[in-house]
Amino acid sequence: MNLDAFVQWVAGLPPAVFLRNSSIGYLLVNAAHIAALGILVGSITALDLRLLWSRGTVPLREFGPYLSNLAAVALGFAVITGLLLFSVKADEYVRNWAFLVKVVVVGLGIVNAVWLHAGPHWRRALREPQIPRALRMHAAASLLFWLSAIVAGRWIGFL
C-alpha cells in the first residue's frame, strides 16, 4: 500500500468521518489531546527535574513510580487522541514537516523512557538517594524531546 492509498484509507475510517462531520467532536478530541499532553509533559517535567537535581527533599521512590505511571497513561490518551486528530487531515499532516518532526521526537521520547525504565539505573535510584549520572542524562534528553514535541506540535498549524 503506497502513502496516498494509506492516507485515503485513514481518512475513510468511521472516526475520521465522524470528526469531520461533527460540529463538536473535533473540538472535544482536540481538548482531550491538549489535556493529555499537559498531564504527560507536566508529570515528565516534574520527574526529570527531580532526577537532574538529585538533592530533592522527597525521595524518588515516593513519587517517581506515580509520575511514571501517570505519564504512561497520559501518553496513551495523547496517542489515541493524536491518531484521531491525524485521521481528519491525514493528507495534510503527512506532508507537513513539523508534524513529521513531532512524530520522530515523540518516538525518541518514548524510546528514552523505555530505555530509562528498563535499565538498572532506575531501580537503583528508587532504592538509593544518589541519582546515577546515566539517569540524569536520560532526564535531560527527556526534557529536550518532550519540549521539542510541544514546539513541533504548535508549529504544525503555522505551515
Side-chain angles (χ1 to χ4, degrees), residues 56-156:
T57 57
V58 180
L60 183 63
R61 71 179 170 276
E62 291 187 22
F63 71 93
Y66 171 75
L67 289 176
S68 292
N69 291 335
L70 183 62
V73 170
L75 175 64
F77 279 108
V79 167
I80 290 168
T81 55
L83 289 172
L84 288 169
L85 294 172
F86 169 80
S87 73
V88 174
K89 296 181 180 180
D91 57 333
E92 292 178 28
Y93 288 131
V94 297
R95 290 167 177 73
N96 184 309
W97 68 266
F99 172 78
L100 300 175
V101 168
K102 178 183 176 180
V103 170
V104 168
V105 173
V106 167
L108 290 171
I110 293 169
V111 167
N112 183 60
V114 169
W115 186 5
L116 178 144
H117 286 84
H121 302 296
W122 174 252
R123 290 182 296 282
R124 190 172 103 201
L126 291 176
R127 290 189 313 267
E128 302 170 9
Q130 185 66 18
I131 303 297
R133 184 169 187 245
L135 213 53
R136 289 196 305 269
M137 291 173 56
H138 277 287
S142 174
L143 284 172
L144 176 68
F145 293 144
W146 293 109
L147 295 176
S148 296
I150 291 172
V151 171
R154 292 304 311 139
W155 208 333
I156 291 169

Side-chain angles (χ1 to χ4, degrees), residues 22-77:
S22 172
S23 61
I24 196 166
Y26 187 88
L27 168 79
L28 293 175
V29 171
N30 196 8
H33 188 65
I34 292 168
L37 291 175
I39 295 168
L40 171 65
V41 174
S43 58
I44 286 173
T45 300
L47 181 57
D48 288 343
L49 291 176
R50 173 59 177 83
L51 292 173
L52 286 170
W53 288 280
S54 60
R55 297 185 192 268
T57 57
V58 180
L60 183 63
R61 71 179 170 276
E62 291 187 22
F63 71 93
Y66 171 75
L67 289 176
S68 292
N69 291 335
L70 183 62
V73 170
L75 175 64
F77 279 108

